[in-house]
Amino acid sequence: MRSNQPQTIYLSDYKVPAYLVDHVDLRFELFEHGARVHSILTVRRNPQSDDVGAPLVLDGDRLVLESLALNGTPLDGDQYEDRGDQLVIADVPEQFQLSVVTWIEPQNNTRLEGLYKSSGMFCTQCEAEGFRCITFFPDRPDVMARFRTRIEADRSAYPVLLSNGNDIDRGDLPDGRHFVTWEDPFPKPCYLFALVAGDLVEKRDSFRTRSGRDIDLRMYVEPRNADKCAHALDSLKRAMRWDEEVYGREYDLDIFMIVAVDDFNMGAMENKGLNIFNSSCVLASQDTATDAAYQRIEAIVAHEYFHNWSGNRVTCRDWFQLSLKEGFTVFRDSQFSADMGSATVKRIEDVTLLRTAQFAEDAGPMAHPVRPSSYIEISNFYTLTIYEKGAEVVRMLHNLLGPELFRKGSDLYFERHDGQAVTTDDFVRAMEDASGRDLSQFRLWYEQAGTPVLTVRDEFDADRGVYRLTVEQTLPDTPGQTDKKPHHIPFALGLLDRRGQPLPLRLADDDTEAPTERMLELTERAHTFEFHGLAECPVPSLLRNFSAPVRLNYPWTREQLLFLMSHDPDGFNRWDAGQRLAVDVIQSLVGAPRDTQVEPRLVTAYRHLICDASLDQALVAKMLQLPSEAYLIELADEADVPAIHQARERVLKHLAISLRDELVACYRRNAQDSAYDLSPLAIARRSLRNTALAWLLAINDEEGRALAVRQFRDADNMTDRIGALRALVNSDYEDDRNQALASFYQRYQDDPQVVEQWFSVQAASDRAGQLPQIRALLTHPAFDWKNPNKVRAVVGAFAGQNLAAFHQVDGSGYDFLAEQVCRLDDSNPQIAARLVTPLTRWRKFAPAYRERMRAALERIRDKPSLSRDVYEVVHKSLAG
Ligand code: BES
Ligand code: ZN
């Protein structure tokens, strides 16, 4: 492993490829002891490249080169140079065929990049740079080729052989082997290549496109999962229909395949015509998947499907442009989810993730722009900034242009760039050209890191009836970036009168037909807006629906927040007002004397939410969730985690004690009264019930305990069963906790996806997930270091969700994490690097914690032979 000073890659060094590959002919011989890969590349010099005498440079990683021939003539050792990670052939003609044979060992591949084995099947993961672990190739997304792939394997062990495109040939071979040949008619970058070989069952479905073509939909899973495919296939059909209706995008091949694999670094992958999924992101049954899992599956199936246009047909020029496909596709999948369920709830969930995790990333040592300008290891750049902030940037374009012009822009983008590898700038230009708007300042969102801060002040001139609003924007410094320019920000707002009625927003005296909501545009460091014709001082409803990814400061009074919580016509802002109020109340109790009063109006407001059944129950279910510890830490200057934890617990318990009877009534009112279904209302009711249960158990309520035990036993779905389990696990009823955990494991021990949930309920619990218990989980027979989901379920959940247990003042939690990172770094560097994340935030914490976090990072830094992945994260975290 390259441990000394890995190289930094710069966007400014981008050069078009010197050679293009038009066609790739692959033949895989798969065996138990390894695989032989025969590749024939049809190569020509790139007419766009001015690097005329350039050698042919192919990437390769851990490959054994068996043979190499140019136009059929074997090359001698002095005609090429094998540099370990590159194969260089100095002297090549204008056009030629290169034949390469490599030997690889998928059975020993624990990094899960390239070709590897997962529970007995062969599968691939090539994004971002995994194809170079399969064969020598120019592994960069601007080299697009047509692929033909022949797979040969033992027929009985691997009856199913899959790759991209259409199957054009199949047959038997000697020694009980067989082959299938696939051809993909669309040129694609090698990161979209995929291969699967295994003993899988096939579930079929079909979809008729709006132009009348019938698409074969096929899902492949291990036989034991045959009854968990319906939801993914239904989600896929909904996504296909939606993309036709909303974006005018139709599917282009005759077959669309989905495969589920247990060992997978990410959630899922959009390989052309052959999407590969982490089992936990695609398999579902009523008995094994929670509502959240059902929704996640629908979103991920859609996301990967949407990539067929935003990513595959139009792809990225280089990996600095990653957000071109990921940000846009996350925006598309979030619009889809909003349309399939409750749009307000979806927005709340997206913003919660953004504000809790992306804002933290943007304020820390790993902060980078949506289009980074350098990286060491690209796998580290599949970040919340690229994904979530990238999606917010596209959403802002949607806000600025409106739905019609935005659609015109996306049509132009897809038509103009079909079959090309392009940049985020090409995307913005298409939006610009279609709308006629100047987006030059808007482009700064791709270049400047850090979360803008908006500070709003207001005053009311009663004599003139004018309400004046001043909005100032500032941009924090981030690593390598200071003195930033102001952003172009869409700022949605409304004004309410004292009865909660929306007021017309008259920007001038004579503005008669004024709307009650406006999308203002901020482009300067400070703006002042005047609203005319007002009889009283209004209450402002600012940044509606979170119209831009910014921090918003306004001196709300608790009175105003209570008012907005019940009156704002914007559902998102109603929720946001509640969150701001709860944050204010909790913050005022951090480190305060024990007898400090909890704001009584918070109790009144929550009582109203719990009892008024006429309110939108999906919104209420969200409003009842107190701000998370992670969010409170993000908002703090020098976070004292135990103090934050205690203050939050105090508020939760105070609410539960004050509203005890209402919670029991709420629980009973929301009892399941009909067959299980996944409508937003049914999901909201389960959420309300489980919140009520959790709160009752937090105060050791005996009736709550009985309800939880009964629900755990009688539940007909996983949401309720695990909701009851979680409530019991987080309670003081130790016997009930242990019994429930044991019986749950007994029941589901053969289902890896449920066992993962069982691990994470414990690892995230401050009762069941203290360090000694976490160590015990790591030695549990069902734990497996080779399976990323298990590692995430225990180590990731402990460090990322069980914050009071992780942040021990003696640093034991940090040392534990450092130990696990070092251990994983040798087998799976991508997962190891991701696990470091909680430590990268070390500067956020109170001094005693901070120093010990830094010490843990230094311990990782000093490990011999550190991977490039962990090297980058640790060194950048310690820098500055
Ligand atoms: N292209 C990614 C998967 C990927 C990421 C592969 C990084 C290799 C390296 C895929 O489209 C994706 O974004 N998946 C997400 C889920 C999605 C719903 C945001 C994931 O895997 O978490
Ligand atoms: Zn994606």
Side-chain angles (χ1 to χ4, degrees):
M1 241 165 241
R2 295 148 286 230
S3 61
N4 300 325
Q5 295 284 321
Q7 238 197 325
T8 300
I9 318 284
Y10 296 94
L11 169 59
S12 55
D13 288 344
Y14 176 81
K15 282 207 192 70
V16 297
Y19 294 89
L20 300 176
V21 180
D22 292 318
H23 194 267
V24 187
D25 199 326
L26 295 170
R27 182 161 75 92
F28 287 83
E29 297 180 80
L30 303 179
F31 305 103
E32 295 312 308
H33 64 293
R36 182 168 292 113
V37 185
H38 306 253
S39 156
I40 304 172
L41 308 180
T42 307
V43 187
R44 71 185 150 99
R45 195 174 282 284
N46 182 2
Q48 316 279 4
S49 168
D50 48 20
D51 199 353
V52 184
L56 176 73
V57 180
L58 304 177
D59 302 295
D61 192 356
R62 285 155 245 244
L63 301 172
V64 176
L65 179 63
E66 288 195 344
S67 77
L68 188 61
L70 201 147
N71 286 333
T73 309
L75 294 184
D76 294 336
D78 58 354
Q79 291 174 290
Y80 64 89
E81 191 191 342
D82 189 349
R83 294 188 189 154
D85 61 351
Q86 281 181 335
L87 184 69
V88 182
I89 309 176
D91 201 14
V92 291
E94 286 287 303
Q95 255 181 329
F96 56 96
Q97 283 205 332
L98 189 74
S99 308
V100 192
V101 180
T102 49
W103 177 258
I104 53 181
E105 293 187 346
Q107 74 280 7
N108 298 325
N109 180 349
T110 57
R111 294 173 308 133
L112 315 185
E113 292 173 83
L115 180 63
Y116 64 94
K117 290 196 85 174
S118 173
S119 37
M121 67 202 266
F122 287 92
C123 61
T124 54
Q125 172 54 44
C126 293
E127 188 179 1
E129 298 179 335
F131 194 73
R132 64 183 63 185
C133 309
I134 295 174
T135 183
F136 287 102
F137 197 79
D139 192 356
R140 44 187 290 169
D142 56 354
V143 171
M144 299 170 78
R146 288 193 181 79
F147 282 68
R148 177 191 294 194
T149 306
R150 172 172 152 131
I151 311 166
E152 304 176 1
D154 183 82
R155 181 187 275 282
S156 64
Y158 308 100
V160 173
L161 303 175
L162 310 173
S163 190
N164 319 82
N166 303 305
D167 43 333
I168 54 167
D169 193 15
R170 61 178 65 224
D172 284 326
L173 296 169
D175 303 323
R177 293 170 67 81
H178 73 142
F179 75 92
V180 179
T181 305
W182 292 83
E183 190 167 65
D184 182 356
F186 292 95
K188 64 169 178 288
C190 64
Y191 83 84
L192 291 171
F193 170 81
L195 173 158
V196 170
D199 185 3
L200 304 169
V201 296
E202 179 187 73
K203 289 279 158 184
R204 280 195 179 233
D205 207 329
S206 71
F207 177 82
R208 174 161 299 173
T209 69
R210 62 172 180 175
S211 71
R213 292 168 45 246
D214 285 309
I215 314 294
D216 250 343
L217 311 180
R218 306 179 189 167
M219 184 159 168
Y220 296 91
V221 298
E222 291 174 51
R224 62 187 168 82
N225 293 322
D227 59 348
K228 295 185 185 160
C229 299
H231 179 63
L233 285 166
D234 288 341
S235 301
L236 174 61
K237 288 182 284 182
R238 288 194 289 272
M240 294 177 89
R241 182 66 66 216
W242 186 91
D243 213 18
E244 292 183 346
E245 285 170 357
V246 179
Y247 280 85
R249 299 292 121 198
E250 199 174 302
Y251 187 61
D252 49 9
L253 286 162
D254 297 330
I255 310 172
F256 187 85
M257 295 175 280
I258 285 178
V259 182
V261 304
D262 282 352
D263 305 294
F264 202 73
N265 282 346
M266 301 291 292
M269 177 63 208
E270 70 266 24
N271 316 299
K272 184 78 188 187
L274 178 56
N275 289 1
I276 298 181
F277 281 70
N278 187 320
S279 295
S280 71
C281 295
V282 74
L283 302 175
S285 71
Q286 184 175 332
D287 188 44
T288 59
T290 60
D291 294 345
Y294 271 97
Q295 289 177 310
R296 189 174 68 235
I297 289 164
E298 180 180 68
I300 301 189
V301 166
H303 176 99
E304 306 310 338
Y305 172 73
F306 295 155
H307 269 315
N308 191 54
W309 276 97
S310 47
N312 302 3
R313 288 288 287 259
V314 181
T315 196
C316 301
R317 187 191 74 173
D318 54 71
W319 291 119
F320 298 100
Q321 318 299 327
L322 180 58
S323 196
L324 173 74
K325 73 177 179 83
E326 295 302 347
F328 187 23
T329 305
V330 170
F331 173 66
R332 277 151 55 66
D333 83 55
S334 83
Q335 283 182 298
F336 167 74
S337 296
D339 284 354
M340 295 300 118
S342 160
T344 304
V345 165
K346 176 62 180 161
R347 190 68 188 131
I348 290 168
E349 288 166 354
D350 288 351
V351 173
T352 301
L353 176 64
L354 189 81
R355 286 208 292 218
T356 316
Q358 196 278 324
F359 282 16
E361 181 172 277
D362 229 354
M366 299 297 290
H368 55 276
V370 169
R371 191 198 59 206
S373 53
S374 70
Y375 61 77
I376 292 177
E377 169 53 62
I378 186 57
S379 303
N380 288 331
F381 280 75
Y382 288 75
T383 60
L384 289 148
T385 299
I386 301 295
Y387 276 72
E388 309 304 323
K389 186 175 182 179
E392 292 297 317
V393 170
V394 177
R395 179 183 293 273
M396 286 190 284
L397 285 171
H398 191 270
N399 289 341
L400 290 170
L401 269 52
E404 285 86 22
L405 287 176
F406 182 87
R407 168 66 194 272
K408 227 179 125 193
S410 83
D411 284 351
L412 179 62
Y413 168 72
F414 288 126
E415 271 143 45
R416 188 183 270 177
H417 299 297
D418 191 5
Q420 298 178 359
V422 303
T423 63
T424 56
D425 204 49
D426 292 317
F427 181 77
V428 178
R429 191 167 313 111
M431 290 292 164
E432 230 166 16
D433 291 349
S435 67
R437 293 210 47 173
D438 177 1
L439 297 171
S440 37
Q441 186 183 3
F442 187 83
R443 284 180 170 81
L444 289 171
W445 281 107
Y446 290 94
E447 294 160 26
Q448 297 187 146
T451 308
V453 180
L454 296 187
T455 305
V456 178
R457 271 177 294 270
D458 57 354
E459 59 188 336
F460 182 61
D461 182 339
D463 296 339
R464 289 173 58 218
V466 171
Y467 176 69
R468 189 177 302 116
L469 202 69
T470 304
V471 189
E472 250 183 86
Q473 62 164 303
T474 55
L475 276 121
D477 291 349
T478 47
Q481 286 190 335
T482 54
D483 301 322
K484 298 177 198 187
K485 303 193 183 98
H487 277 295
H488 183 177
I489 300 175
F491 186 72
L493 94 169
L495 299 176
L496 305 180
D497 74 9
R498 78 164 74 89
R499 286 169 305 123
Q501 292 304 305
L503 292 161
L505 306 178
R506 298 197 179 96
L507 289 171
D509 258 335
D510 51 359
D511 209 350
T512 45
E513 296 280 295
T516 55
E517 178 169 307
R518 281 185 186 273
M519 190 69 70
L520 301 176
E521 296 190 21
L522 313 176
T523 52
E524 314 277 327
R525 289 193 197 278
H527 284 267
T528 299
F529 301 96
E530 288 193 342
F531 300 95
H532 295 253
L534 297 166
E536 55 176 302
C537 182
V539 177
S541 164
L542 304 170
L543 199 72
R544 279 192 169 162
N545 210 33
F546 211 67
S547 60
V550 298
R551 295 180 196 264
L552 176 63
N553 291 329
Y554 172 83
W556 285 280
T557 61
R558 289 188 179 176
E559 203 60 54
Q560 284 175 318
L561 291 172
L562 287 156
F563 173 83
L564 290 169
M565 236 179 123
S566 50
H567 290 103
D568 201 315
D570 184 79
F572 174 84
N573 269 17
R574 216 149 59 225
W575 169 82
D576 195 36
Q579 292 291 297
R580 287 178 193 273
L581 178 65
V583 164
D584 188 32
V585 171
I586 295 169
Q587 280 177 341
S588 69
L589 294 171
V590 173
R594 289 198 170 277
D595 55 359
T596 312
Q597 211 204 71
V598 179
E599 169 65 75
R601 289 173 296 180
L602 189 68
V603 178
T604 317
Y606 272 66
R607 176 176 291 118
H608 179 67
L609 289 173
I610 295 171
C611 297
D612 187 347
S614 73
L615 298 172
D616 172 357
Q617 296 296 291
L619 183 55
V620 168
K622 284 289 167 197
M623 291 187 77
L624 287 182
Q625 309 293 322
L626 287 180
S628 67
E629 283 173 18
Y631 184 51
L632 293 160
I633 290 170
E634 206 286 313
L635 292 175
D637 284 329
E638 288 203 338
D640 177 344
V641 179
I644 288 174
H645 178 75
Q646 272 167 32
R648 186 181 181 278
E649 286 286 287
R650 241 204 98 192
V651 170
L652 195 147
K653 287 182 180 165
H654 179 78
L655 287 168
I657 289 168
S658 315
L659 301 169
R660 189 260 163 212
D661 293 346
E662 289 87 339
L663 288 167
V664 172
C666 169
Y667 183 89
R668 297 197 187 283
R669 187 176 73 233
N670 286 299
Q672 191 176 324
D673 48 16
S674 52
Y676 175 80
D677 78 274
L678 281 161
S679 64
L681 180 61
I683 291 171
R685 293 181 62 182
R686 281 189 287 276
S687 167
L688 286 170
R689 243 158 92 79
N690 285 312
T691 300
L693 213 51
W695 287 22
L696 289 168
L697 280 148
I699 54 169
N700 303 326
D701 187 86
E702 277 298 327
E703 191 175 351
R705 171 199 192 180
L707 292 172
V709 170
R710 178 150 16 103
Q711 177 175 315
F712 179 74
R713 195 189 57 212
D714 297 344
D716 74 349
N717 65 83
M718 184 49 87
T719 305
D720 284 338
R721 180 158 289 120
I722 211 155
L725 177 70
R726 187 173 289 117
L728 290 167
V729 165
N730 290 321
S731 77
D732 286 334
Y733 300 113
E734 208 178 324
D735 291 347
D736 292 315
R737 171 200 314 159
N738 292 332
Q739 269 173 34
L741 282 170
S743 96
F744 190 94
Y745 184 74
Q746 183 68 27
R747 179 177 173 135
Y748 292 108
Q749 55 186 313
D750 296 326
D751 189 316
Q753 283 73 56
V754 184
V755 172
E756 284 156 24
Q757 300 179 64
W758 179 81
F759 274 125
S760 71
V761 164
Q762 297 173 76
S765 157
D766 66 334
R767 308 291 159 84
Q770 293 298 323
L771 200 45
Q773 297 158 305
I774 298 294
R775 288 197 184 272
L777 290 179
L778 295 182
T779 63
H780 191 279
F783 188 81
D784 176 5
W785 280 103
K786 296 223 156 68
N787 178 257
N789 291 1
K790 299 289 189 306
V791 175
R792 280 185 280 255
V794 178
V795 186
F798 170 68
Q801 292 170 50
N802 196 355
L803 301 179
F806 175 60
H807 292 276
Q808 296 291 326
V809 73
D810 64 2
S812 53
Y814 312 143
D815 293 346
F816 168 80
L817 185 61
E819 183 189 329
Q820 310 321 322
V821 167
C822 290
R823 155 175 210 155
L824 256 171
D825 190 46
D826 295 323
S827 57
N828 190 331
Q830 282 188 16
I831 300 298
R834 279 179 188 269
L835 278 189
V836 181
T837 306
L839 291 173
T840 65
R841 316 262 195 264
W842 62 280
R843 286 188 181 85
K844 269 235 71 105
F845 295 87
Y849 299 88
R850 193 193 296 162
E851 291 315 313
R852 293 192 161 82
M853 292 176 89
R854 183 170 63 181
L857 280 169
E858 287 168 349
R859 198 156 316 130
I860 302 173
R861 178 196 63 195
D862 296 338
K863 170 189 177 269
S865 78
L866 206 58
S867 69
R868 207 162 40 166
D869 310 58
V870 173
Y871 174 98
E872 178 172 36
V873 177
V874 169
H875 279 259
K876 288 186 175 172
S877 300
L878 288 169

